[in-house]
Amino acid sequence: MAVHNADIAAVFDEIANLLEIEDANPFRVRAYRNAVRILESLGHEASAMLAEGEDLTKIPGIGKDLAGKIAEIVDTGSCRALKKLQKQLPPGLSDLLHLPGLGPKKVKVLYHDLDVHTLNQLHRAARDGRVHELPGFGAKTEQSILEAIEAHAGEEHRFKLATAAQYARPLVAYLNKISGVDQVELAGSFRRAKETVGDLDILVVAKRSSPVMDRFVAYDEVKKVVSKGPTRSTVILASKLQVDLRKVEAKSFGAALHYFTGSKAHNIAVRRLGQGRGLKINEYGVFKGSKYVAGATEESVFKSVGLPWIPPELRENHGEIEAATAKRLPELVTLADLKGDLHVHTKATDGRHSLREMADAAKNHGLHYIAITEHSRRLTVAHGLDPKHLHAQVDQIDRLNEQLDGITVLKGIEVDILDDGRLDLPDSVLQRLDLVIGAVHSKFNLSRSKQTERILRAMDQRYFTMLAHPSGRLIDRREPYDVDMLKIIRAAKQRGCYLELNAHPERLDLLDVYCQMAKEEGVLISINSDAHRVDDFDNLRYGVGQARRGWLAKDDVLNTRSLRSLRPLLRGTMG
Ligand code: DGT
Ligand code: CA
Ligand code: CA
């Protein structure tokens, strides 16, 4: 493929932007910006000049370094310097830079002041009105950001669960307030707590006279009415999220809720069980011939086929029907079971709030303990801590714990797993801590065996407690890195380590299948928020949803333990 000057300029432009966000030397930034201008106004293709053996450094403003990079781009189509920068910064920043009206200066402020580095985060921040107060921003900028993101949102057709929830909750509250409405329930993939949802499926039970359908299509976020009928309507919201609303009779409510919760595969399996008993099951009820026999509640539908109620998160026809038949359904972990959160940042690194603020917020969320786990020095973009600053924080935590009541702050670190599997801080520092979370933040593209080896080597370190976001994936943005997860889980078992289920809506990492695998191998999972601000403890609910999809019960989850039972479990990992 021919490489044009515009392609080369685009690479240099991106490098300049990322350097600027990183606060790099302004002279370096300017050199790339100049090169962009030179390339744009150069009368002939640089690739053709190279093919003819010409020396690019003859072009005014292009030195040896840039000439080498141009040759590299012409040869390979990309540039290692850019790749390196992209690895150092969150991948979503490029999306922000491409939003009309947002240049590197504004993205830098958003990233450093609000910890915003994805379109979804920016969308939320703008909706919450947190953007217009920033230096260099205003109400108009905030508005144009919102419009630009919403135009862009149409390109992705599935919504992260947490994003869908932002639209679903106010809509459900609105429907509940309509006169004659007796019950409102979210069904579909949303109720099954899938990582992403295609559309929302909502059921209502309402009196015949209720204006629910008229009011639904008049909801102020509705952008387009796809269809409207007495029992079923479909709309598209301004966010591009589609919503299906169905009105059902009270005696059909359980059958409809079961049907529209899905999954389709689960429904088919349940219907087949019914057929075996001479029953017909559909969204109106359970029927023997033409006689209605059940359907007001989900329990009654399951009971008609001889099953106990199965939690929605398990309804994928992945063994839940067999387990229910054998009375071996797990009692799934709940949000209320969580006693603490073992992965929390503060503004000492890239978090937004202070130690004290995070501890108070956690307590308000009903938690009894949190572990402060800042980034380590290697992660310079997150202002990772060196030994001196970590020691200072540890002392600060000791002092804070003397003042706190009803919550305990544990001392930890989210230490970078270096490329060769060593940790970014020495044992002499790590030994002062209550727990050490190891994380991969670089070299995502190692081969399967090398990546697995690297992580196993890290787990061998004396003070290693837990593996953070084990697959490294970012939903929609970054594929998981290639590792042998079974090998890692077995190593964790052997070494007495734990795996994290990171509850950040963009991560939800550990994946459900690996939760199940860890449970089978007897490795405890810690559901952690990875909070960077006080509101982030809300995300624990999504981690719990994911854990439930992974069949985890309370006992399978490390941070359902009281602090007293937790302490020896943490110490157990320390030689
Ligand atoms: P999504 O929206 O793609 O994230 O996934 P769902 O599961 O919400 O799927 P959706 O919205 O197409 O349909 C909602 C539920 O309705 C689905 O989980 C099961 C039920 N359903 C839809 N179509 C069929 C069907 O053809 N047969 C059966 N048995 N159930 C269906
Ligand atoms: Ca759906
Ligand atoms: Ca649907």
Side-chain angles (χ1 to χ4, degrees), residues 325-392:
T325 307
K327 307 251 173 311
R328 271 207 288 271
L329 279 177
E331 189 155 328
L332 299 179
V333 62
T334 66
L335 187 58
D337 290 333
L338 298 190
K339 300 288 192 306
D341 183 343
L342 296 177
H343 187 161
V344 175
H345 297 268
T346 75
K347 67 181 183 190
T349 57
D350 61 344
R352 174 79 167 157
H353 292 108
S354 70
L355 200 52
R356 175 83 205 217
E357 287 165 331
M358 294 307 274
D360 288 342
K363 186 178 160 184
N364 288 336
H365 275 78
L367 301 177
H368 302 320
Y369 55 86
I370 54 172
I372 299 298
T373 53
E374 308 283 18
H375 292 290
S376 63
R377 57 191 170 186
R378 149 80 175 265
L379 207 60
T380 47
V381 284
H383 316 290
L385 298 186
D386 60 16
K388 183 170 143 239
H389 288 97
L390 182 56
H391 282 306

Side-chain angles (χ1 to χ4, degrees), residues 191-318:
R191 184 164 180 243
R192 304 200 312 280
K194 288 274 285 188
E195 299 164 348
T196 62
V197 307
D199 69 359
L200 294 178
D201 305 278
I202 305 182
L203 294 180
V204 295
V205 177
K207 304 205 170 39
R208 199 170 288 262
S209 59
S210 170
V212 61
M213 285 299 170
D214 292 334
R215 298 284 306 279
F216 171 58
V217 298
Y219 182 55
D220 65 359
E221 284 181 38
V222 169
K223 193 159 174 205
K224 185 173 165 203
V225 180
V226 178
S227 66
K228 178 171 180 275
T231 59
R232 176 177 178 166
S233 300
T234 294
V235 301
I236 314 265
L237 302 181
S239 58
K240 304 269 163 94
L241 181 59
Q242 178 177 312
V243 187
D244 291 341
L245 182 73
R246 289 175 187 85
K247 187 177 151 194
V248 301
E249 311 236 334
K251 70 173 205 180
S252 296
F253 179 71
L257 184 57
H258 179 255
Y259 182 92
F260 291 111
T261 295
S263 66
K264 202 166 154 181
H266 167 91
N267 287 354
I268 290 170
V270 170
R271 233 173 14 224
R272 194 168 299 138
L273 279 184
Q275 279 156 9
R277 294 172 171 238
L279 298 171
K280 198 176 100 204
I281 302 176
N282 58 30
E283 62 266 48
Y284 302 105
V286 181
F287 298 88
K288 190 150 207 147
S290 59
K291 190 173 159 252
Y292 166 96
V293 294
T297 64
E298 278 195 327
E299 283 83 353
S300 74
V301 175
F302 282 114
K303 194 162 171 242
S304 73
V305 293
L307 295 178
W309 181 80
I310 299 175
E313 296 91 339
L314 297 184
R315 299 184 196 168
E316 301 291 343
N317 198 24
H318 286 167

Side-chain angles (χ1 to χ4, degrees), residues 410-466:
L410 299 172
K411 294 162 260 185
I413 187 87
E414 179 182 6
V415 66
D416 257 52
I417 296 177
L418 301 179
D419 300 353
D420 60 1
R422 283 177 306 129
L423 302 179
D424 188 26
L425 289 167
D427 280 359
S428 57
V429 175
L430 299 181
Q431 65 159 0
R432 265 197 91 185
L433 304 174
D434 296 308
L435 81 163
V436 172
I437 304 184
V440 168
H441 290 130
S442 60
K443 283 264 193 303
F444 297 113
N445 51 3
L446 291 182
S447 70
R448 182 181 181 85
S449 62
K450 284 215 173 101
Q451 194 69 278
T452 307
E453 271 308 300
R454 172 193 189 188
I455 292 172
L456 295 187
R457 220 167 298 143
M459 291 171 111
D460 276 335
Q461 307 291 314
R462 177 153 183 219
Y463 295 109
F464 190 100
T465 319
M466 186 187 302

Side-chain angles (χ1 to χ4, degrees), residues 551-562:
W551 291 59
L552 299 189
K554 181 178 176 183
D555 280 351
D556 303 320
V557 176
L558 179 67
N559 50 326
T560 60
R561 306 293 193 273
S562 68

Side-chain angles (χ1 to χ4, degrees), residues 4 14 18 48 54 97 111 143 178 275 282 313 376 484 490 516 533-534:
H4 300 288
E14 179 111 3
L18 296 179
E54 281 188 56
L97 281 166
Y111 177 47
Q143 187 54 34
I178 297 171
Q275 279 156 9
N282 58 30
E313 296 91 339
S376 63
D484 186 339
R490 290 198 168 139
Q516 238 172 324
R533 35 194 321 133
V534 291

